[in-house]
mmCIF file of all heavy atoms in Angstrom:
data_model
loop_
_atom_site.group_PDB
_atom_site.id
_atom_site.type_symbol
_atom_site.label_atom_id
_atom_site.label_comp_id
_atom_site.label_asym_id
_atom_site.label_seq_id
_atom_site.Cartn_x
_atom_site.Cartn_y
_atom_site.Cartn_z
ATOM 1 N N GLU B 871 -24.557 62.976 -41.446
ATOM 2 C CA GLU B 871 -24.735 64.130 -42.337
ATOM 3 C C GLU B 871 -25.566 65.168 -41.571
ATOM 4 O O GLU B 871 -26.624 64.864 -41.059
ATOM 5 C CB GLU B 871 -25.490 63.716 -43.609
ATOM 6 C CG GLU B 871 -24.796 62.684 -44.451
ATOM 7 C CD GLU B 871 -24.215 63.275 -45.738
ATOM 8 O OE1 GLU B 871 -24.192 64.496 -45.880
ATOM 9 O OE2 GLU B 871 -23.851 62.446 -46.589
ATOM 10 N N SER B 872 -24.996 66.355 -41.514
ATOM 11 C CA SER B 872 -25.843 67.474 -40.988
ATOM 12 C C SER B 872 -26.394 68.180 -42.204
ATOM 13 O O SER B 872 -26.091 67.816 -43.334
ATOM 14 C CB SER B 872 -24.930 68.420 -40.163
ATOM 15 O OG SER B 872 -24.084 69.139 -41.039
ATOM 16 N N VAL B 873 -27.147 69.236 -41.988
ATOM 17 C CA VAL B 873 -27.572 70.015 -43.146
ATOM 18 C C VAL B 873 -26.396 70.680 -43.849
ATOM 19 O O VAL B 873 -26.461 71.049 -44.984
ATOM 20 C CB VAL B 873 -28.626 71.112 -42.760
ATOM 21 C CG1 VAL B 873 -29.983 70.448 -42.526
ATOM 22 C CG2 VAL B 873 -28.219 71.870 -41.555
ATOM 23 N N LYS B 874 -25.256 70.779 -43.155
ATOM 24 C CA LYS B 874 -24.088 71.421 -43.753
ATOM 25 C C LYS B 874 -23.207 70.453 -44.509
ATOM 26 O O LYS B 874 -22.748 70.767 -45.593
ATOM 27 C CB LYS B 874 -23.242 72.097 -42.655
ATOM 28 C CG LYS B 874 -23.837 73.337 -42.076
ATOM 29 C CD LYS B 874 -22.936 73.961 -40.986
ATOM 30 C CE LYS B 874 -22.856 73.112 -39.751
ATOM 31 N NZ LYS B 874 -22.193 73.748 -38.631
ATOM 32 N N ALA B 875 -22.886 69.311 -43.902
ATOM 33 C CA ALA B 875 -21.836 68.449 -44.460
ATOM 34 C C ALA B 875 -21.867 67.058 -43.913
ATOM 35 O O ALA B 875 -22.581 66.777 -42.932
ATOM 36 C CB ALA B 875 -20.472 69.080 -44.173
ATOM 37 N N ALA B 876 -21.108 66.192 -44.583
ATOM 38 C CA ALA B 876 -20.991 64.805 -44.138
ATOM 39 C C ALA B 876 -19.730 64.623 -43.271
ATOM 40 O O ALA B 876 -18.725 65.262 -43.555
ATOM 41 C CB ALA B 876 -20.929 63.859 -45.333
ATOM 42 N N SER B 877 -19.804 63.768 -42.273
ATOM 43 C CA SER B 877 -18.603 63.488 -41.506
ATOM 44 C C SER B 877 -18.570 61.965 -41.177
ATOM 45 O O SER B 877 -19.604 61.344 -41.066
ATOM 46 C CB SER B 877 -18.614 64.197 -40.157
ATOM 47 O OG SER B 877 -18.846 65.554 -40.367
ATOM 48 N N ASP B 878 -17.367 61.418 -41.059
ATOM 49 C CA ASP B 878 -17.201 60.041 -40.657
ATOM 50 C C ASP B 878 -17.166 59.877 -39.165
ATOM 51 O O ASP B 878 -16.739 60.791 -38.436
ATOM 52 C CB ASP B 878 -15.893 59.459 -41.245
ATOM 53 C CG ASP B 878 -16.006 59.274 -42.762
ATOM 54 O OD1 ASP B 878 -17.039 58.787 -43.219
ATOM 55 O OD2 ASP B 878 -15.022 59.610 -43.458
ATOM 56 N N VAL B 879 -17.621 58.751 -38.720
ATOM 57 C CA VAL B 879 -17.430 58.364 -37.294
ATOM 58 C C VAL B 879 -16.532 57.132 -37.347
ATOM 59 O O VAL B 879 -16.698 56.233 -38.149
ATOM 60 C CB VAL B 879 -18.769 58.028 -36.610
ATOM 61 C CG1 VAL B 879 -18.567 57.561 -35.197
ATOM 62 C CG2 VAL B 879 -19.659 59.271 -36.613
ATOM 63 N N TYR B 880 -15.510 57.144 -36.482
ATOM 64 C CA TYR B 880 -14.497 56.099 -36.542
ATOM 65 C C TYR B 880 -14.621 55.084 -35.405
ATOM 66 O O TYR B 880 -15.102 55.417 -34.322
ATOM 67 C CB TYR B 880 -13.091 56.799 -36.432
ATOM 68 C CG TYR B 880 -12.909 57.831 -37.502
ATOM 69 C CD1 TYR B 880 -13.113 59.181 -37.217
ATOM 70 C CD2 TYR B 880 -12.502 57.489 -38.770
ATOM 71 C CE1 TYR B 880 -12.993 60.140 -38.195
ATOM 72 C CE2 TYR B 880 -12.327 58.435 -39.769
ATOM 73 C CZ TYR B 880 -12.559 59.772 -39.485
ATOM 74 O OH TYR B 880 -12.434 60.715 -40.455
ATOM 75 N N ALA B 881 -14.135 53.894 -35.677
ATOM 76 C CA ALA B 881 -14.098 52.904 -34.589
ATOM 77 C C ALA B 881 -12.992 53.320 -33.629
ATOM 78 O O ALA B 881 -11.829 53.455 -34.065
ATOM 79 C CB ALA B 881 -13.813 51.506 -35.163
ATOM 80 N N PRO B 882 -13.290 53.554 -32.382
ATOM 81 C CA PRO B 882 -12.249 54.030 -31.434
ATOM 82 C C PRO B 882 -11.196 52.964 -31.165
ATOM 83 O O PRO B 882 -10.070 53.278 -30.835
ATOM 84 C CB PRO B 882 -13.021 54.322 -30.146
ATOM 85 C CG PRO B 882 -14.451 54.341 -30.545
ATOM 86 C CD PRO B 882 -14.593 53.457 -31.737
ATOM 87 N N LEU B 883 -11.575 51.719 -31.333
ATOM 88 C CA LEU B 883 -10.614 50.604 -31.113
ATOM 89 C C LEU B 883 -11.034 49.399 -31.967
ATOM 90 O O LEU B 883 -12.179 49.342 -32.473
ATOM 91 C CB LEU B 883 -10.462 50.222 -29.644
ATOM 92 C CG LEU B 883 -11.608 50.578 -28.665
ATOM 93 C CD1 LEU B 883 -12.756 49.625 -28.935
ATOM 94 C CD2 LEU B 883 -11.112 50.553 -27.278
ATOM 95 N N ALA B 884 -10.184 48.492 -32.122
ATOM 96 C CA ALA B 884 -10.395 47.364 -32.982
ATOM 97 C C ALA B 884 -11.438 46.415 -32.333
ATOM 98 O O ALA B 884 -11.464 46.225 -31.098
ATOM 99 C CB ALA B 884 -9.124 46.564 -33.212
ATOM 100 N N GLY B 885 -12.263 45.784 -33.151
ATOM 101 C CA GLY B 885 -13.238 44.858 -32.583
ATOM 102 C C GLY B 885 -14.288 44.446 -33.629
ATOM 103 O O GLY B 885 -14.095 44.658 -34.840
ATOM 104 N N THR B 886 -15.369 43.926 -33.105
ATOM 105 C CA THR B 886 -16.485 43.473 -33.967
ATOM 106 C C THR B 886 -17.745 44.220 -33.564
ATOM 107 O O THR B 886 -18.045 44.356 -32.363
ATOM 108 C CB THR B 886 -16.697 41.972 -33.760
ATOM 109 O OG1 THR B 886 -15.468 41.295 -34.008
ATOM 110 C CG2 THR B 886 -17.755 41.443 -34.751
ATOM 111 N N ILE B 887 -18.479 44.730 -34.568
ATOM 112 C CA ILE B 887 -19.696 45.476 -34.281
ATOM 113 C C ILE B 887 -20.722 44.439 -33.722
ATOM 114 O O ILE B 887 -21.067 43.457 -34.367
ATOM 115 C CB ILE B 887 -20.258 46.134 -35.557
ATOM 116 C CG1 ILE B 887 -19.236 47.064 -36.188
ATOM 117 C CG2 ILE B 887 -21.607 46.866 -35.223
ATOM 118 C CD1 ILE B 887 -18.909 48.316 -35.393
ATOM 119 N N ALA B 888 -21.188 44.708 -32.476
ATOM 120 C CA ALA B 888 -22.071 43.799 -31.828
ATOM 121 C C ALA B 888 -23.549 44.201 -31.999
ATOM 122 O O ALA B 888 -24.457 43.355 -32.054
ATOM 123 C CB ALA B 888 -21.714 43.688 -30.367
ATOM 124 N N ALA B 889 -23.792 45.500 -32.057
ATOM 125 C CA ALA B 889 -25.166 45.991 -32.174
ATOM 126 C C ALA B 889 -25.120 47.453 -32.670
ATOM 127 O O ALA B 889 -24.042 48.118 -32.499
ATOM 128 C CB ALA B 889 -25.833 45.967 -30.799
ATOM 129 N N VAL B 890 -26.212 47.881 -33.272
ATOM 130 C CA VAL B 890 -26.269 49.307 -33.687
ATOM 131 C C VAL B 890 -27.574 49.879 -33.176
ATOM 132 O O VAL B 890 -28.525 49.167 -32.926
ATOM 133 C CB VAL B 890 -26.139 49.482 -35.242
ATOM 134 C CG1 VAL B 890 -24.752 48.972 -35.699
ATOM 135 C CG2 VAL B 890 -27.270 48.762 -35.976
ATOM 136 N N ASN B 891 -27.612 51.195 -33.096
ATOM 137 C CA ASN B 891 -28.808 51.888 -32.586
ATOM 138 C C ASN B 891 -29.663 52.368 -33.717
ATOM 139 O O ASN B 891 -29.489 53.462 -34.243
ATOM 140 C CB ASN B 891 -28.337 53.062 -31.692
ATOM 141 C CG ASN B 891 -29.500 53.793 -31.023
ATOM 142 O OD1 ASN B 891 -30.652 53.330 -31.158
ATOM 143 N ND2 ASN B 891 -29.217 54.900 -30.377
#
Side-chain angles (χ1 to χ4, degrees):
Chain B
E871 299 252 12
S872 72
V873 285
K874 286 180 292 189
S877 307
D878 287 318
V879 176
Y880 304 96
L883 25 73
T886 305
I887 304 292
V890 298
N891 184 7

